[in-house]
Amino acid sequence: MGTTSSPTHSPLPASVQAYQLYVEIEDVRPKVWRRFLVPTTIGLGLLHVTILWGTGWQGGHVHEFVFGDDHYGAKEPGLDFPEVIDEESVTLREALGTRKAFVYVYDFGDNWRHKVKVEKLVELDAPISHGVCIGGENACPPEDVGGAPGYEEFLEALADPDHSEHQHLKDWIGGSFNPAAFDVAEANQRLTPEVF
């Protein structure tokens, strides 16, 4: 009763049916998108981790899913959003209902909104128990860069050595940043079951 631990995601039975999801961060150029296969049995808590790590975010910020008028998120001590339903008890299939799209929001300060489209239901040759990245383009923006407008300014400053913020942002990011960088194998390494 005295300690608080982060939510755990209990493994679900593997499924031979998967949703193919297309995820795109809104208002970001160059366009940042990922395509995932996730088991139809996936819970929203595990889906959050899949989108988070598969896109390239580091974590540590509040998130929510928006399915029409329904909002789902993690119930955390000290955070009280009465309109948010606890995501841990809900699967993607249950939250979707007949919908084919929803929104995933990460970091309420930077307000990274991800449009998620269910492209199709896939019958797999072998069952999966967690998300798999099957495609994507461009690097995930850095954390705490100021949302889509801040990311645009960040890229402009990095591209122009004469920009007043060029050196400061270069130091902040740790040297260089390639907005076109994306590696599907690296994304899947981040999605290995051990991270869950």
Side-chain angles (χ1 to χ4, degrees), residues 21-36 51 55 57 101-106 111-119 135-141:
L21 303 180
Y22 174 82
V23 180
E24 181 183 324
I25 304 176
E26 291 182 1
D27 303 321
V28 170
R29 297 290 173 263
K31 182 164 63 172
V32 176
W33 65 270
R34 304 288 182 263
R35 184 167 280 122
F36 298 101
I51 297 174
T55 302
W57 300 114
F102 58 97
V103 174
Y104 168 77
V105 183
Y106 172 65
N111 193 34
W112 297 109
R113 294 178 58 86
H114 303 64
K115 294 182 289 190
V116 185
K117 178 183 175 190
V118 179
E119 293 184 314
E137 281 187 320
N138 297 315
C140 182

